[in-house]
Amino acid sequence: MSFAVIFRSKRTDSNNELYYHHNDKLSEKIKTIPGYIKHFGVRHPDTREGITVIYFETMDAIKLWRDDFEHMEAKELAQSHFYENYSIEILEVKKEYSWVLDK
């Protein structure tokens, strides 16, 4: 069993350099959180709407990430400089499977 944090957002049209600095830094930092599994994200270039999904082994791991000092600093900037809006959902992953086309 694992947990997924779904972060949906709409970027502002400004502060790109500061945003990418923090985004790149936190994208590496999250990998150091005990219980982190993986993450990925996509953003539409025209609407600036995006989604990031982060997988953790436990709710405690999510709390470690939520309470991380650098992450908390970035959250403050997110509300004041980076996003028009965002939402977060936390879900329990009950089943996972995949399929790959053999070539």
Side-chain angles (χ1 to χ4, degrees), residues 19-91:
Y19 170 80
Y20 286 110
H21 169 76
H22 283 279
N23 186 66
D24 294 347
K25 187 175 170 182
L26 290 178
S27 189
E28 290 305 312
K29 172 81 184 253
I30 196 169
K31 295 174 185 176
T32 69
I33 299 294
Y36 163 85
I37 299 172
K38 64 183 176 180
H39 73 282
F40 65 89
V42 294
R43 183 166 308 282
H44 190 280
D46 296 329
T47 66
R48 300 183 320 276
E49 293 176 340
I51 185 168
T52 300
V53 181
I54 310 163
Y55 294 91
F56 292 95
E57 293 173 354
T58 65
M59 288 296 293
D60 288 339
I62 293 171
K63 184 178 181 332
L64 283 173
W65 178 238
R66 184 193 69 206
D67 295 342
D68 177 82
F69 179 74
E70 290 176 87
H71 186 217
M72 290 174 64
E73 283 184 330
K75 281 195 267 187
E76 288 182 26
L77 287 170
Q79 293 174 353
S80 61
H81 291 81
F82 300 153
Y83 297 112
E84 290 182 21
N85 61 63
Y86 69 79
S87 66
I88 297 170
E89 296 174 275
I90 300 174
L91 303 104

